[in-house]
Amino acid sequence: MKIQNTRERLLASSMICGVAFLGLSASQAFAAAADAANGEVSEIVVTGTRIPSPNLTSIAPVTTVGNADIKAQGVTRIEDITNSLPQVFAGQGSSITNGATGAATVDLRGLGPNRTLVLIDSRRVMPGDPTARISGSAADLNFIPAALVERVDVLTGGASATYGADAVAGVVNFIMLHNFEGVRIDAQYSGYQHDNNNSAGQNALKAAAATAIIPSQYAIPGNLWEGESSEVSFVIGANAPDGKGNVTAYATYRQNNAILEADRDFSACTLASTAAGFGCSGSGTAFPARVGSFLVDPTTFNTFRPRVATDVFNFGPANFFVRPDERYNLGAFAHYQIAPWADAYMDAMFMDDLSTAQIAAGGIFASTFSIDCANPLLSAQEKGLLVPVGATAGQTCANTPGGTFTGTVARRLLSSEQTGRLTQFRHTDFRIVVGLRGDLGKNWNYDGYMQYGSVNVNNRQSGNFDTTRINQSLNAIAGPNGQAICNPAANPDPGCVPINIFTAQTISPAAINFLSINSFNSGNIVERVVSLAFTGKLGDYGVKSPYASEGVGVAFGGEYRREHLDTVADFLANNGLVNGNGGANPPVNGGFDVYELFGEARVPLVSDMPFAKDLSLELGYRFSDYSSIGDTNTYKVAGEWEVVDGVRFRAGYNRAVRAPNVIELFAPQNVVLDGTADPCAGLTAANPLVATCASLFHLTTAQVLAIEKNPANQYNGQTGGNPNLKPEISDTYTAGVVWQPTYVPGLSVSLDYFNIKVDQFISRIGATLELNNCLATGSPTFCNLVHRDPNGSLFLTNAGFVQDTTLNTGSLKTSGVDLNLAYHTDLSNLGLGDNGSIAVSMVGTWLDTTITQPLPGGPSFDCKGLYGVICGVPSPEWRHKARLTWNTPYSYGDWFKSLSLSMQWRYFGKVSADSFDSNPQLNNPGLQVANEQNFSAQNYIDLTANFTVHNNLNFRVGVNNVFDKDPPLAANNLPATVGNGNTFPQVYDALGRFVFVGLTADF
């Protein structure tokens, strides 16, 4: 590994900073075709190359979403814009609650958000959340105000040669509004309307209410209007008096209200599936209290009865289906041309975002605790059933008052005792770019800039108990007056109050106050970039093909980037003492820097010849020297061939890399919630897995049969970083055709094949997959990673876990075909009279493969057309969005004009549960239930109307999911990390009709 010392690196970075502001670098792209003086196309910024051209003449396949389409969708969250594209798989977002980070991410091709590079105006966006252990290096889309987005470019496949590391799956480039003059006010109000009539959900609720300890937990909601959202943006821009500059400033405010899972009949209880269909399930941490294998009898509240499988708590209703959110954005884009060779510019962007996640009430989560047999809060009957540690035959707490019972204890809080557990996520982000660009004579220009990005995250969690104090409160003895006190011999905290979960229906407020805690964690990530590049046209120097009308174009330069991350938590969170929090939250501190040189060339080979209207070659190379992993090399080779006017072929190869991020390198090992299933838990004696589990994990049959299943499907894994990681290496192949027939004016079609493979990808294998592989193969490679606690459990204590640390694992591969279609024409051309014009657009993706090979040389599995605990979010074979817009000719003077009506059709193909797949890596008979085997294809219709009043007031009104379709439901096969409300709300429309009305006023 090549590592320079600190002094050398600081000296080099200082030199780059100095040279950059002496002024030499390439704008994101250079000349498109010819000089503007010749009256030809002017230069355009294009994603994927420093040589600009729009999608239909670019070599790299790029899908573009324009500002008009963004407004037609009525969205105020950028994640909703990206998630609607068929190339995008759902990542973090507003509908994730348990496991939320407060950020929103984009995941191209399902390869993971860390492998998608997000840009603003072709410059890198800093990582979005230093506290997120999985997606922390991914940009937070909340930072980007939707009202300021001119267009979104989505580039397929590797682009590391152009943009550096992380552009493995592709690039999402947000082109912002610049050079605005005037005042613009944009406001929108929206909400969700839903009719609750889901038969599966309502039947499950009715059945559960009939036998529930608390029937009100299973109330059926009525029809609702909720989840209101308001957004206001203000943009002001002015040109310099001499016309050489502009300042565009903006301020936006967005506020979204919460939606509870209790407000949808299909999510008002946590579902489980059997052969009979869906039924309500829940958490084993329930009400009344559980002690060992007993439950406090809810008919007496002072005796025990045997605990049964239906003694669970419905944790669904209190969970947020949509998190409430309040966001402020401020910023400005400015430039001024001091001289033709010096155009100074600055971009400044700020965000303050506060989002809150709520999950079910806390309490004492099922784990191993000790209770003094002399605890006066235990009734005589209860003491007679509890067996102390080390007891001989016939001994119980009743006849052994000096003994101690140790076993599983759990007690869920009631809503009257405490509301749900809340986590407030506050993200404060800042990004500034300062640069200088200009022309260096006729054929050369430059662009040099420095960029600073900072993300500060402060999270506050409430509603949990302190694990240490739970032990103190349970360890009660009789005081001098016979009243229960915390055992002084255990040295309890001052103010300790015994907790009565044995002979009282509710816990005293004093005990709750003693046990309740607030927990805090915070983090900061800073990214610094210095870039210097040149672009030039070499035709005037004779560097030109004799068969081409244009010379070679080049771009080259250097870049320096440094990232540093630091997280810290309070004592309780740092030491794993926040009960029910899924593990400790140890600090992470680290950073890396990278020095890079890059070059790119576009070589016109042939032009304006028979069957060769244009034949061009594009080359690129980037050398990177990382302080963490040493040297990497990335490159690209691409070409395009325009046979005749309107028919163009294009193909390319890209080698990309992704360097491990700070969390992947330096996060300490820690036991957290990781897996979603334990095949050895909850088995009956007739199940053949009993013998397998007993053999592999050295247990007796009785011990296997006693392994408890977690009703919430949450199991422990030991995760952590690895400083010896190597970079991921990716190869992308693309080939496509663009058709713009001259005999059908206004029609353009592009069809592009993509094939992306990522080797030695950085990931955890996955606790569930490791368990499945252990049981399927018996291999020590996997079975030695499984550590069961003394109860055989993988969730009751932190001693039970599956080792799942970060590694350079096997490979990821995805391939398919993207379709882009656009057509516009006057209706008169179709013989329909002078009735305006229509525009049709369609973006679709056919998925051929999405293959994961967990270990090099080992077996692999294909998630095409699947969803589930291994494959995660649904991966349909075909997915598209299509829009038809009618621009009518109707108007009424200056008061009413430009009326357009638009309909969008979103299609999401059929998928099946991965547990039914024949591949042994996926097949899981324990999860195979008929009602979850398939999700049928989903169709959504959206309608929008747009019109202008008095020239400067543009109104829009629309309804998405017009027919209020319910989402497909899953329970046993729903992965806890990406599922919520018994479905995938980041994928499917889960909330009903989305209704919006908006106004854009220009002055």
Side-chain angles (χ1 to χ4, degrees), residues 67 71 144-150 177 184 186 231 233 235 252:
N67 178 265
K71 289 190 173 182
I144 303 168
L148 272 292
V149 176
E150 282 285 89
L177 176 65
R184 173 175 294 170
D186 189 278
E231 181 173 48
S233 64
V235 182
T252 73

Side-chain angles (χ1 to χ4, degrees), residues 628-650:
S628 55
I629 59 170
D631 299 346
T632 66
N633 298 274
T634 59
Y635 39 86
K636 67 175 181 178
V637 179
E640 62 178 349
W641 173 31
E642 187 175 6
V643 184
V644 294
D645 284 334
V647 180
R648 179 184 298 267
F649 296 94
R650 57 192 179 191

Side-chain angles (χ1 to χ4, degrees), residues 249-266:
Y250 68 88
T252 73
Y253 171 77
R254 184 187 73 189
Q255 188 266 331
N256 296 320
N257 291 342
I259 296 178
L260 289 168
E261 289 183 20
D263 295 339
R264 299 293 182 271
D265 50 12
F266 54 81

Side-chain angles (χ1 to χ4, degrees), residues 369-371 373 386-392 395-397 400 402-407:
F369 294 97
S370 295
I371 300 170
C373 283
L386 296 182
V387 177
V389 175
T392 59
Q395 282 189 318
T396 67
C397 279
T400 316
T404 300
F405 166 81
T406 297

